[in-house]
Amino acid sequence: MNITLEQAEKIITAAKEKAIAIHTQMNIAIVDSGANLIAFARMDQAWIGSIDISIKKARTACLFGKNTGVIGELSQPGGPLYNIEHSNGGLITFPGGVPIKNNSGTIIGAIGVSGSSIENDHAVAEAGATALSIFA
Amino acid sequence: MNITLEQAEKIITAAKEKAIAIHTQMNIAIVDSGANLIAFARMDQAWIGSIDISIKKARTACLFGKNTGVIGELSQPGGPLYNIEHSNGGLITFPGGVPIKNNSGTIIGAIGVSGSSIENDHAVAEAGATALSIFA
Amino acid sequence: MNITLEQAEKIITAAKEKAIAIHTQMNIAIVDSGANLIAFARMDQAWIGSIDISIKKARTACLFGKNTGVIGELSQPGGPLYNIEHSNGGLITFPGGVPIKNNSGTIIGAIGVSGSSIENDHAVAEAGATALSIFA
Amino acid sequence: MNITLEQAEKIITAAKEKAIAIHTQMNIAIVDSGANLIAFARMDQAWIGSIDISIKKARTACLFGKNTGVIGELSQPGGPLYNIEHSNGGLITFPGGVPIKNNSGTIIGAIGVSGSSIENDHAVAEAGATALSIFA
């Protein structure tokens, strides 16, 4: 099961609406269940340094089927996954990456958002990931 | 002068329509005038190996202000730019990358397309790049 | 708005003067608003390991519009941006990178300095970044 | 024996004058005898894709003590150094890179120039490399 481009575009639209609602400019990346990029949008004036971060958050959330922040808690010094960020060409493990699931709970992709505080990044990613039920 | 996300999305829409019209599934990448990704879409069933190629085509067209195929003619064995592909983290110099210009002729970004023959890739990129006049 | 080479060279001159005044040998890198290198100078006897660090500091300050040290405070273990250094081909988040702004406060580039203590690195970067007003 | 920053800056000044005289905008990189960057300048409006190419040309000329174009003749299909460009993190072997020698003929660094035709790139690099005698 894989996310379609049409679904990815609806997710990006929902994420952009949330970003605008909370007065932020975001980079928004969607990957499929193979962690490969399917859609991306950078809002005007969003940091260009966040392009790569949003894509890495989406990839990280997909590769391990977890919110990126969950992995970030485990990758701290002394933690069980210390410095896991060195794998897979570079992971980003702070909040803003969220798996996207279908109605059966199967992961069909992930969204990564970067451009503001991690609270805002996560809120926008969550808004995108849950927009899926609209078209389920 | 830089392309906006709204412009980039219109260009992707035009490119997708062309891709559908010629019965292909494409990866379509748009970069701004600094060669940084602004929007991306992978049509369902498009090759995942073409994600990176489409982005590199867009970057190549932007970095040198030329259709990628023009650079590819110069980078052949014995040509003046032989193996230029080794620069800038990897270039793609076969057709499918086209600069995007505003009405003044200034380069404001570039489109890269990959997923079919180079003739089809270029045709879809051209359809995207020239869609700009719609909103000029 | 982008920094010009003439401006970048004046900034490097000011940074070198400061480096000499505090008896250090520095690597000094200037990037434009797209985080692309525009000018660089390595003072005689400066560490060659600091070439890459100075460029990465300039890129980091530009990509996020902040002094590198500010990002470094947020990227510590337990912090909100822990291990952000894995993005964008490698960031450097300790002090020595400073955005360069024009009189309107718009970021037109950034300076990165490496070769001594982080206090000295930052002092030299600051001397460069504020030299802008000379020619404003 | 290594090039000094003062020498490198004089070489860049000479190269810029030549670039202006032939109506081009160039990226100009100087490396020391260890192939490490010592000075760099990107003229306004020069291609940003040529930043990396100019640095790689300087490194290539230094690493093998030859004009880059000489190596490019040997790296062609069927040639003795076929695809040597894959080594050392990426080489550029078309003209525009020239070793810099002191009066004893010892290589003390190299210059790499990119931004126009390979004939112009080489002419500007040559103008820089031979400016050394001014201060020999």
Side-chain angles (χ1 to χ4, degrees):
Chain A
M1 288 298 297
N2 230 334
I3 194 171
T4 65
L5 177 56
E6 187 182 351
Q7 290 174 322
E9 289 174 335
K10 285 182 182 172
I11 291 169
I12 284 186
T13 297
K16 281 198 295 185
E17 285 171 2
K18 178 68 175 180
I20 291 168
I22 61 173
H23 309 292
T24 58
Q25 297 84 35
M26 295 295 195
N27 288 266
I28 306 161
I30 313 288
V31 298
D32 64 18
S33 62
N36 297 303
L37 194 65
I38 181 160
F40 174 84
R42 171 160 49 102
M43 297 172 70
D44 299 337
Q45 274 81 54
W47 294 323
I48 56 175
S50 285
I51 300 171
D52 185 55
I53 294 176
S54 67
I55 295 174
K56 281 189 165 61
K57 282 182 180 175
R59 282 179 45 79
T60 300
C62 178
L63 287 169
F64 301 100
K66 290 183 177 58
N67 285 0
T68 48
V70 173
I71 300 168
E73 289 174 14
L74 303 172
S75 69
Q76 297 295 317
L81 304 183
Y82 175 54
N83 267 351
I84 191 174
E85 294 83 0
H86 287 268
S87 71
N88 294 286
L91 301 178
I92 290 292
T93 61
F94 46 82
V98 174
I100 298 169
K101 300 176 181 177
N102 67 10
N103 285 345
S104 316
T106 305
I107 292 175
I108 59 172
I111 181 173
V113 174
S114 180
S116 179
S117 69
I118 55 172
E119 290 78 14
N120 285 340
D121 290 356
H122 178 73
V124 170
E126 193 69 29
T130 56
L132 189 66
S133 58
I134 296 167
F135 51 86
Chain B
M1 288 300 297
N2 232 333
I3 195 170
T4 66
L5 176 56
E6 187 183 351
Q7 291 173 322
E9 289 174 336
K10 285 182 182 172
I11 290 170
I12 284 186
T13 298
K16 282 198 295 186
E17 286 171 2
K18 178 67 175 180
I20 292 168
I22 61 174
H23 309 292
T24 59
Q25 297 83 35
M26 295 295 195
N27 288 267
I28 305 161
I30 312 288
V31 299
D32 65 18
S33 63
N36 297 304
L37 194 64
I38 181 159
F40 174 85
R42 172 162 48 102
M43 297 172 71
D44 300 338
Q45 275 80 55
W47 295 323
I48 55 173
S50 284
I51 299 170
D52 184 53
I53 293 176
S54 66
I55 294 173
K56 281 191 165 63
K57 282 183 180 176
R59 281 179 46 78
T60 301
C62 177
L63 287 170
F64 301 100
K66 290 184 177 57
N67 286 0
T68 48
V70 172
I71 300 169
E73 289 174 16
L74 302 172
S75 69
Q76 296 297 315
L81 304 183
Y82 176 57
N83 267 351
I84 191 174
E85 294 82 1
H86 289 266
S87 71
N88 294 287
L91 301 178
I92 291 292
T93 60
F94 46 83
V98 174
I100 299 169
K101 299 178 182 178
N102 66 11
N103 285 345
S104 316
T106 305
I107 292 175
I108 59 173
I111 181 172
V113 175
S114 179
S116 179
S117 68
I118 55 173
E119 290 78 14
N120 285 341
D121 289 357
H122 178 74
V124 171
E126 193 69 29
T130 55
L132 187 66
S133 57
I134 295 168
F135 51 84
Chain C
M1 287 300 297
N2 232 333
I3 194 171
T4 66
L5 176 57
E6 187 182 352
Q7 290 173 323
E9 289 174 336
K10 286 181 181 172
I11 291 170
I12 285 186
T13 298
K16 281 197 296 187
E17 286 170 2
K18 177 68 174 181
I20 292 167
I22 61 173
H23 308 292
T24 59
Q25 297 83 36
M26 296 295 196
N27 287 267
I28 306 160
I30 313 288
V31 298
D32 64 20
S33 61
N36 296 305
L37 194 65
I38 182 159
F40 173 85
R42 172 161 50 101
M43 297 172 70
D44 300 339
Q45 275 81 54
W47 296 323
I48 57 174
S50 284
I51 300 170
D52 185 52
I53 293 176
S54 66
I55 295 174
K56 281 191 166 63
K57 283 183 180 176
R59 281 180 45 79
T60 300
C62 177
L63 287 171
F64 301 101
K66 291 184 175 58
N67 285 0
T68 49
V70 173
I71 300 169
E73 289 174 14
L74 303 171
S75 70
Q76 295 297 315
L81 304 183
Y82 175 56
N83 267 351
I84 191 174
E85 294 82 2
H86 289 266
S87 71
N88 292 288
L91 301 178
I92 290 292
T93 61
F94 47 81
V98 174
I100 299 168
K101 299 177 181 178
N102 66 11
N103 285 344
S104 315
T106 304
I107 293 175
I108 59 173
I111 181 172
V113 174
S114 180
S116 179
S117 67
I118 56 173
E119 289 78 14
N120 285 341
D121 289 357
H122 177 74
V124 170
E126 193 69 30
T130 54
L132 187 66
S133 56
I134 296 167
F135 51 85
Chain D
M1 287 299 297
N2 230 334
I3 194 171
T4 66
L5 176 57
E6 187 182 352
Q7 290 173 323
E9 290 174 335
K10 285 182 182 172
I11 290 170
I12 284 186
T13 298
K16 281 198 295 186
E17 285 170 3
K18 178 67 175 180
I20 291 167
I22 61 174
H23 308 292
T24 59
Q25 296 84 36
M26 295 295 195
N27 288 268
I28 306 161
I30 313 289
V31 298
D32 63 19
S33 61
N36 297 304
L37 194 65
I38 181 160
F40 174 83
R42 172 161 49 100
M43 297 173 70
D44 300 337
Q45 275 81 53
W47 294 323
I48 57 175
S50 284
I51 300 170
D52 184 55
I53 293 176
S54 67
I55 295 173
K56 281 190 165 60
K57 282 181 180 176
R59 281 180 45 78
T60 301
C62 177
L63 287 169
F64 300 99
K66 290 184 177 59
N67 285 0
T68 48
V70 173
I71 299 168
E73 288 174 15
L74 303 172
S75 68
Q76 297 295 318
L81 304 183
Y82 175 55
N83 267 352
I84 191 174
E85 293 84 0
H86 288 268
S87 70
N88 294 286
L91 300 178
I92 290 292
T93 61
F94 46 83
V98 174
I100 299 168
K101 300 177 182 178
N102 66 10
N103 285 345
S104 315
T106 304
I107 292 175
I108 60 172
I111 180 173
V113 174
S114 180
S116 180
S117 68
I118 55 173
E119 290 78 14
N120 285 341
D121 290 356
H122 178 74
V124 170
E126 193 69 30
T130 54
L132 188 67
S133 58
I134 296 167
F135 50 84

